[in-house]
Amino acid sequence: MSRPRSDNPKEHTSIIRAKRKDGWTYVQRVVSVYDPKIKNSRRISTETLGKLPPGETDLEKLVPLEPRRRKGSLQVAKIAAPAQKVIDPRDPGRIVYPLDIVFCVILLAAMQGKTSCTEIAEFWHQCRPLLSKTFPNFPDEEISHDTVRRITMIIGKDKNAALIERFVEMLHSRLSHPVIAVDGQVVRASRNSSVLNIMDADNELILAQQVIREKNNEITHASKLIDTLDIRGAIVTADALNTQTEFAAKIIAEKADYCLALKANQDLTYEQVRGFFELGTHEYKTARPSVTDQGGKITKRKTRVLPGTLLPEEILNKWVGLDEGSIVEAVTDTVKKKNGEIPGPQVRYYISSLRYDAPNVEQVLHRAIRQHWAIENKGHWALDMAFNQDRLQCTNAQYLAGRTLLNKIALNFTTKIQTRLEEVTGKEAPSKPVIRARLNKIEDMLVAMNDCIRI
């Protein structure tokens, strides 16, 4: 006759030791109970108490284990790190939504093309199960679009402007002589407010920004904004609006060189430079022409360079570095492939502090002039098309600054994902919308973003 079994068997606690290959012994407390269905003990719970050093058996010398972090939290820790330095004016005792968590959620939403406060709040709601697994201490409450807006305004305060620079340091691989492009972008839906941007045209990364209310104020802000960056050894390019003597002097003081466009706003300098090239009485340094075939047209670009010493002394005294520098003519010829139409050539003039007697100065200037347009084609256009920046309706300067800053951080990450794909595959990377479609899962997006971080 079999021995009767209790309907409520007692739990049994035991200490189990497991020796690993590295010599350490892991100690666990196991609670089990007899299960008549399987006629054996069944584990109820297992708790790892710690580990013993090699050769040790005394449990009093148990070494506690470090808390194990989820894979998602490890992935998001690097991305959230720069946001933890943002100055948060809220009362610490009453914070429900930690700023670094909200920042990361807004950034992930932007990477998927969701940039309005309402879209971000809905993204928070729809992705809550995964977000709660990804972020340690993720808030239990839903977030409102008003809260998203308020936190975006905190991010947009002037004292937090260095946030984008901290992210660039994580992603940036500095070249020896990068081209730094400076240009303003109008946000038309926000009563024609504009944002002054500085871009590393070689790496296609936005380095800094400044929200300005009137386009003319861009002149005064450019010198201040360039002062926040390390531009040593770079070639700084700008359109005619920022071709100002103070700006040129600031660039030289920072141990960089400039290549600035000329138009009628610098009437005397413009007329003198144009006159030397139209006369054709001097020997030029001519760059090797470049030809592109895209957008239904064939474009040929030519660059000619003359020494800056040709200019009158009154002009050379105004522009620091131009006495040893260069004056430049860039000509663009276009042929429309559909009908063979040839519009008139587009001629632009520049002044530069790059020494005329430097080796291959004509090729360096040809490349710098071409690279300047990356801020329009790879920066402003992408911000408007991929992040709806041109349709951003806003009258609050802090929100505008925060929203555009977050757009640029998302754009920088997307650009680096493209660059990494090219490095890995050796092929041209897909476009930003295609990358967004492929990385529509948060886990995939986090992995791709972490792969780009160089720390």
Side-chain angles (χ1 to χ4, degrees):
M1 184 175 176
S2 62
R3 185 177 176 180
R5 296 290 182 181
S6 171
D7 295 334
N8 297 306
K10 293 183 178 180
E11 295 179 355
H12 175 70
T13 302
S14 58
I15 302 297
I16 296 178
R17 307 184 186 207
K19 191 172 182 178
R20 300 295 178 91
K21 292 182 178 180
D22 59 3
W24 287 77
T25 301
Y26 282 70
V27 181
Q28 294 180 325
R29 180 190 290 119
V30 178
V31 179
S32 59
V33 66
Y34 181 79
D35 188 344
K37 291 182 180 180
I38 61 174
K39 297 181 180 181
N40 205 340
S41 295
R42 174 173 53 82
R43 287 191 180 188
I44 297 176
S45 64
T46 302
E47 179 187 1
T48 301
L49 302 177
K51 58 183 180 178
L52 292 170
E56 187 61 59
T57 59
D58 188 356
L59 292 180
E60 291 184 357
K61 297 182 179 179
L62 203 65
V63 178
L65 298 177
E66 296 181 0
R68 188 174 180 181
R69 301 178 69 186
R70 293 187 295 269
K71 183 178 179 182
S73 63
L74 287 171
Q75 288 180 342
V76 81
K78 290 182 181 179
I79 301 171
Q84 292 173 354
K85 298 181 181 180
V86 171
I87 300 173
D88 191 345
R90 296 176 296 172
D91 182 358
R94 301 178 63 185
I95 291 178
V96 176
Y97 305 97
L99 191 143
D100 58 333
I101 291 180
V102 179
F103 170 86
C104 287
V105 174
I106 295 174
L107 181 59
L108 289 171
M111 295 287 287
Q112 296 190 4
K114 300 174 176 63
T115 56
S116 74
C117 296
T118 304
E119 289 176 327
I120 295 165
E122 183 62 22
F123 177 82
W124 179 292
H125 172 71
Q126 295 291 339
C127 301
R128 163 175 287 283
L130 184 57
L131 291 172
S132 61
K133 294 178 182 178
T134 303
F135 293 90
N137 305 318
F138 191 79
D140 296 328
E141 295 82 359
E142 297 291 350
I143 195 169
S144 69
H145 66 278
D146 287 328
T147 302
V148 174
R149 179 180 176 84
R150 285 193 293 271
I151 293 178
T152 304
M153 290 170 62
I154 292 173
I155 295 170
K157 290 186 176 181
D158 286 341
K159 60 184 72 175
N160 295 326
L163 179 61
I164 189 172
E165 296 174 36
R166 292 197 287 271
F167 273 97
V168 169
E169 289 175 3
M170 294 166 50
L171 304 173
H172 199 213
S173 55
R174 183 177 172 85
L175 303 176
S176 56
H177 296 287
V179 175
I180 305 296
V182 181
D183 196 19
Q185 179 186 20
V186 176
V187 184
R188 301 190 185 282
S190 298
R191 297 185 180 180
N192 286 334
S193 295
S194 60
V195 184
L196 180 64
N197 299 318
I198 298 181
M199 182 183 196
D200 180 342
D202 293 314
N203 287 294
E204 298 178 10
L205 297 177
I206 305 290
L207 304 179
Q209 71 161 34
Q210 176 67 53
V211 174
I212 48 183
R213 281 304 185 184
E214 296 180 11
K215 189 72 173 175
N216 291 335
N217 288 341
E218 188 178 310
I219 298 171
T220 58
H221 284 287
S223 296
K224 297 177 182 177
L225 194 57
I226 207 79
D227 196 31
T228 64
L229 302 172
D230 179 9
I231 61 170
R232 287 173 296 177
I235 303 171
V236 180
T237 64
D239 60 7
L241 182 62
N242 288 304
T243 302
Q244 307 292 331
T245 54
E246 287 185 17
F247 187 51
K250 185 65 180 177
I251 293 169
I252 297 296
E254 296 292 330
K255 299 181 180 180
D257 285 296
Y258 59 80
C259 180
L260 306 177
L262 283 175
K263 285 187 179 178
N265 62 328
Q266 296 291 340
D267 49 358
L268 179 59
T269 307
Y270 173 77
E271 293 296 336
Q272 287 285 338
V273 171
R274 187 180 68 172
F276 282 115
F277 284 101
E278 289 182 347
L279 283 173
T281 56
H282 296 84
E283 185 176 348
Y284 310 101
K285 287 187 177 181
T286 305
R288 185 171 56 255
S290 59
V291 180
T292 57
D293 183 355
Q294 60 184 11
K297 58 185 179 181
I298 299 173
T299 305
K300 183 177 182 180
R301 297 176 178 86
K302 299 176 291 185
T303 303
R304 299 191 299 177
V305 182
L306 286 172
T309 51
L310 295 174
L311 296 172
E313 187 174 349
E314 60 178 307
I315 294 177
L316 296 178
N317 291 337
K318 290 170 53 180
W319 299 98
V320 179
L322 189 54
D323 53 344
E324 296 181 345
S326 310
I327 57 177
V328 189
E329 177 192 63
V331 181
T332 303
D333 293 306
T334 304
V335 179
K336 295 183 179 179
K337 296 170 66 176
K338 186 176 182 179
N339 53 18
E341 181 183 350
I342 304 176
Q346 182 182 6
V347 184
R348 301 183 305 277
Y349 299 100
Y350 299 84
I351 55 173
S352 174
S353 61
L354 284 167
R355 294 178 63 94
Y356 180 75
D357 57 2
N360 300 316
V361 66
E362 67 280 4
Q363 289 300 142
V364 174
L365 285 165
H366 179 83
R367 176 181 170 276
I369 292 168
R370 178 64 180 147
Q371 284 292 91
H372 174 78
W373 295 102
I375 195 170
E376 291 283 356
N377 303 331
K378 305 293 181 64
H380 298 171
W381 185 87
L383 289 167
D384 288 341
M385 298 303 295
F387 301 99
N388 303 314
Q389 186 162 292
D390 200 36
R391 294 188 286 277
L392 174 61
Q393 296 183 358
C394 170
T395 57
N396 185 287
Q398 288 184 0
Y399 177 77
L400 181 63
R403 182 63 264 172
T404 53
L405 184 146
L406 287 159
N407 289 347
K408 291 176 176 67
I409 294 174
L411 175 63
N412 285 348
F413 266 111
T414 308
T415 299
K416 291 305 293 184
I417 291 172
Q418 285 181 304
T419 303
R420 179 166 175 78
L421 285 174
E422 290 178 351
E423 292 173 353
V424 172
T425 64
K427 301 177 182 178
E428 184 178 356
S431 65
K432 291 178 176 62
V434 172
I435 287 178
R436 178 189 297 170
R438 291 182 181 178
L439 302 177
N440 61 343
K441 294 182 179 179
I442 293 178
E443 310 99 300
D444 297 338
M445 185 69 74
L446 285 171
V447 170
M449 292 169 74
N450 274 275
D451 286 344
C452 296
I453 296 174
R454 297 181 180 270
I455 58 174

